[in-house]
Amino acid sequence: MMKRMISGCWLVAVACGMAYAAEPEPVVNYDESKAGNLPLPELLKTSAGQTVETADAWIKIRRPEIVAMFERHVYGKTPPPEAWGKVEWKIAGIKRDALGGLATRKLVHVSLPGHPAWQGMDVMLYVPNKRTGPAPCFAGLSFNGNHAVSDEPDIPLSARWMREDKTGGAEGNRATELSRGKELGRWPLKMLMERGFAVATAYCGDLEPDHADGWKTGLRAALSPDGAKTVWCDGEWGAIGAWAWGLSRIADCLESDPDIDSKHLAVIGHSRLGKTALWAGACDPRFSLVVSNESGEGGAALMRRDIGETTAIITKAFPHWFTPTYARYAGKAADCPVDQHMLVALIAPRSIYIASAVDDRWADPKGEFLAGLDAEPVFALFGMKGYGTTTQPPPGKPVGDAIGYHIREGKHDLTEYDWQQYAEFAKRRFGEEK
Ligand code: GTR
């Protein structure tokens, strides 16, 4: 919290040309009776005031309106394919007996020949060796690089910017050997291979290092027309947009790989990368399942509920994640033309799973549950069922049909329990689609 406030003060000081202006810390509310629960923007009413009654009207009229509003007010617009041009994939290595023989591991380097300022993205793909056909796949970004997702010693250590790490995993903002396997607990690769799922991942920092100036050495600067932007305008993309773009490039890789069942791609992310998975899933229909693990504010949690993190707090601490417009809704959530149930609704007629943790009150578990519930009318237009309940279930009791939900005991994290639910859900949903 301290760190967040310090960066907030600094921003105000710079913007106002002052030496330093201390601001009062916003009070974080955890009292449900003070959550506000402001009325949500209407999901099924077009800007012309018409009620959307069919899946067709949703797809043709209301959905594009909502996408445009999220671009304008929350995440910014992803530049069109003409802006990035040719994409090049180079296989950097294939290991057929990875994970003790359970998997084949492929390393692929993705780059943009027309934009060499972007250093590219290293995609790591594990495909189960035991399978009867192409494997369904979970795709997600990591916080610390491929070498942290798996502890296999021959995975190159990421050379990109890394957040400093008290345990010695990063020094001088570069990864050290100590960070090998650091995220293994969040990526139960063996369990997923045994269940027949492939896993594709890349480091979010390959797309944009996660700090206020990260864009300068990331994809956003490389793609900006003058290459030397100083200011981002309303409606232009932020880091979440750049990270989500990377997930779509991973989908490109997966589509071209005959070992992968590209009709069954799930996009997954935890926390800030859960926000990213939601936005990637909303923008890219190739993801037939979207998994939001404790994505919280700016993710699955409704912004009109004042519980835990708020728009004011997040846009002060992490302005670079969003388009600048979003910060205008600090303390004024009711003025924002969208709320996060609309983001969940954009996933229809595909499947979505939202998960929370009891001790992760910062992410507002109830707000995460409600976004799925309030998105149900759109899934209903497609004849799809949501949670099957209007009450948030107790910990450890997953619910849902096309929209899944669980809350588990414990803290903010992505655990094996979470993955077990996602694997079960994916198996069921993908099975039904076959
Ligand atoms: C927190 C942030 C959350 C969440 C989290 C994370 O500091 O306030 O919105 O994104 O970081 O990504 O771990």
Side-chain angles (χ1 to χ4, degrees):
M1 194 62 192
M2 204 49 212
K3 209 169 179 186
R4 276 195 275 273
M5 293 326 300
I6 288 168
S7 66
C9 291
W10 179 83
L11 277 173
V12 168
V14 170
C16 309
M18 296 183 293
Y20 185 81
E23 283 180 60
E25 275 205 24
V27 181
V28 180
N29 177 49
Y30 288 113
D31 179 349
E32 185 59 41
S33 71
K34 296 187 183 138
N37 284 308
L38 298 168
L40 297 176
E42 286 213 53
L43 195 51
L44 292 176
K45 179 115 341 122
T46 67
S47 57
Q50 274 159 339
T51 303
V52 173
E53 282 164 354
T54 63
D56 197 50
W58 166 259
I59 293 284
K60 292 202 181 115
I61 306 167
R62 187 57 176 151
R63 190 181 191 283
E65 281 181 1
I66 293 177
V67 171
M69 288 192 282
F70 273 105
E71 289 173 342
R72 175 72 193 167
H73 301 276
V74 186
Y75 305 110
K77 196 172 166 58
T78 304
E82 308 83 80
W84 69 76
K86 191 173 179 300
V87 184
E88 212 164 74
W89 291 275
K90 275 204 190 108
I91 305 237
I94 300 189
K95 185 180 183 181
R96 304 214 176 267
D97 58 348
L99 303 177
L102 274 180
T104 295
R105 190 190 71 207
K106 304 180 193 183
L107 298 175
V108 183
H109 184 73
V110 182
S111 62
L112 298 177
H115 302 274
W118 181 51
Q119 294 174 58
M121 168 171 75
D122 291 310
V123 179
M124 179 167 76
L125 171 65
Y126 281 102
V127 188
N129 282 338
K130 214 169 126 205
R131 58 191 160 81
T132 49
C137 186
F138 282 97
L141 299 176
S142 73
F143 285 80
N144 300 281
N146 296 336
H147 69 274
V149 166
S150 168
D151 58 359
E152 295 192 296
D154 54 341
I155 298 168
L157 214 57
S158 171
R160 301 297 176 79
W161 180 93
M162 288 287 156
R163 185 169 305 288
E164 285 297 292
D165 164 3
K166 280 188 229 101
T167 61
E171 273 168 21
N173 294 118
R174 291 290 174 265
T176 70
E177 278 295 329
L178 286 178
S179 61
R180 215 173 261 296
K182 182 176 164 183
E183 281 188 60
L184 199 55
R186 286 187 177 170
W187 297 89
L189 296 170
K190 289 189 177 162
M191 181 270 271
L192 291 165
M193 295 304 123
E194 275 156 4
R195 290 184 178 222
F197 289 99
V199 173
T201 183
Y203 173 41
C204 69
D206 283 4
L207 295 143
E208 174 159 334
D210 187 11
H211 59 88
D213 284 335
W215 62 271
K216 292 181 181 166
T217 55
L219 180 75
R220 284 197 288 151
L223 288 189
S224 65
D226 54 7
K229 270 178 104 51
T230 49
V231 161
W232 291 91
C233 300
D234 288 351
E236 290 188 313
W237 60 342
I240 289 177
W243 295 333
W245 180 92
L247 286 164
S248 284
R249 301 295 69 75
I250 294 180
D252 299 343
C253 286
L254 298 172
E255 270 194 319
S256 68
D257 189 327
D259 290 340
I260 300 297
D261 171 6
S262 58
K263 292 266 169 295
H264 292 130
L265 303 183
V267 63
I268 181 167
H270 169 60
S271 208
R272 66 198 69 186
L273 298 177
K275 310 180 209 298
T276 304
L278 283 164
W279 182 231
C283 296
D284 193 334
R286 292 174 298 175
F287 294 116
S288 51
L289 165 60
V290 177
V291 180
S292 152
N293 193 81
E294 299 158 28
S295 59
E297 189 71 21
L302 293 176
M303 73 187 285
R304 280 166 176 72
R305 278 171 53 82
D306 180 3
I307 293 269
E309 191 171 29
T310 58
T311 317
I313 296 173
I314 202 168
T315 54
K316 196 167 279 186
F318 306 106
H320 61 285
W321 288 353
F322 303 95
T323 197
T325 329
Y326 193 46
R328 293 208 208 132
Y329 303 112
K332 296 185 194 139
D335 293 352
C336 186
V338 289
D339 207 320
Q340 302 307 105
H341 64 309
M342 297 162 110
L343 183 65
V344 175
L346 293 178
I347 309 302
R350 296 164 286 141
S351 309
I352 176 160
Y353 198 110
I354 300 170
S356 313
V358 173
D359 298 339
D360 186 20
R361 296 191 306 156
W362 183 245
D364 184 15
K366 187 161 180 203
E368 293 179 317
F369 173 78
L370 290 175
L373 188 66
D374 288 311
E376 283 184 356
V378 172
F379 288 78
L381 290 177
F382 295 91
M384 299 171 84
K385 293 196 202 89
Y387 291 149
T389 173
T390 54
T391 317
Q392 191 179 13
K397 298 264 179 252
V399 293
D401 193 43
I403 310 177
Y405 179 84
H406 75 246
I407 179 164
R408 61 157 173 78
E409 296 289 357
K411 64 178 177 63
H412 185 63
D413 201 358
L414 171 56
T415 68
E416 177 128 2
Y417 171 84
D418 297 316
W419 274 103
Q420 276 159 358
Q421 313 319 310
Y422 306 149
E424 278 308 304
F425 186 78
K427 206 170 115 200
R428 176 161 56 80
R429 297 301 304 163
F430 292 165
E432 280 170 20
E433 282 165 20
K434 270 195 175 134

